[in-house]
Amino acid sequence: MDQDKIREGVRLLLEGIGEDTGREGLIETPDRIARMYEEICGGYTQNPAEVLSKVFSVEDSEMVMEKDITFYSMCEHHMMPFFGKAHIAYIPKNKVVGISKLARTVEIFARRLQIQERMTGQIADAIMECLDADGVMVVLEAEHLCMTMRGVKKPGSKTITVATRGVFATDENLKRQFYDMLKA
Ligand code: ZN
């Protein structure tokens, strides 16, 4: 990540809105934001395949679900936060991963400029491919500050996106089971 470019960009932004970049409260802001971006956009340099590479063998193939994974991402249209919960289920063929790895996978894709629809699909594809699963279903529910703080201003409104892969794409019973487990 080019910290100099971020610092320069933030300085220009501050000037653009008519701020005094030399005043006390703002003098370190470009540097603070540059360091912050290392974290909130740090997902570009991380590979979900590495996170999902440590697998365990299993005999059965019952649904595994991890719900209410909190995430924070940034909308690529406004560079404002969107945040909420991710719910993931998969049907293992004969490999499972440690549960924390699902949350790590969400984080890797969240820490990029995103649109929620694409992020949902990326999480599903990564799990499907890396675990060679029979099926994956991912639901994200999030509040977008670009919608609730500006523009249409609907505080608390949520955007829900769904991605299904493999058996989840075709089996309505499995989808129903997913939503039942989500409510439980
Ligand atoms: Zn937006």
Side-chain angles (χ1 to χ4, degrees), residues 75 77-78 146:
C75 123
H77 297 140
H78 302 91
C146 63

Side-chain angles (χ1 to χ4, degrees), residues 75-80 144 146-147 150:
C75 123
E76 68 183 16
H77 297 140
H78 302 91
M79 292 181 72
M80 287 184 77
H144 290 243
C146 63
M147 279 184 61
R150 57 161 287 287

Side-chain angles (χ1 to χ4, degrees), residues 2-71:
D2 188 332
Q3 298 251 334
D4 284 340
K5 279 194 174 170
I6 298 172
R7 278 191 285 267
E8 183 59 17
V10 173
R11 253 178 240 114
L12 288 170
L13 180 62
L14 289 168
E15 282 173 25
I17 61 176
E19 266 289 359
D20 169 9
T21 55
R23 73 178 172 85
E24 197 193 0
L26 292 179
I27 206 147
E28 287 177 32
T29 296
D31 193 51
R32 266 194 295 264
I33 291 182
R35 279 183 278 122
M36 180 180 76
Y37 269 88
E38 287 281 353
E39 184 177 344
I40 63 177
C41 286
Y44 291 105
T45 52
Q46 294 166 338
N47 184 359
E50 272 169 38
V51 170
L52 295 170
S53 66
K54 187 156 176 30
V55 294
F56 307 96
S57 299
V58 286
E59 293 284 305
D60 63 346
S61 55
E62 293 296 316
M63 190 188 302
V64 179
M65 183 184 226
E66 180 71 3
K67 63 183 185 179
D68 296 327
I69 302 167
T70 301
F71 73 87

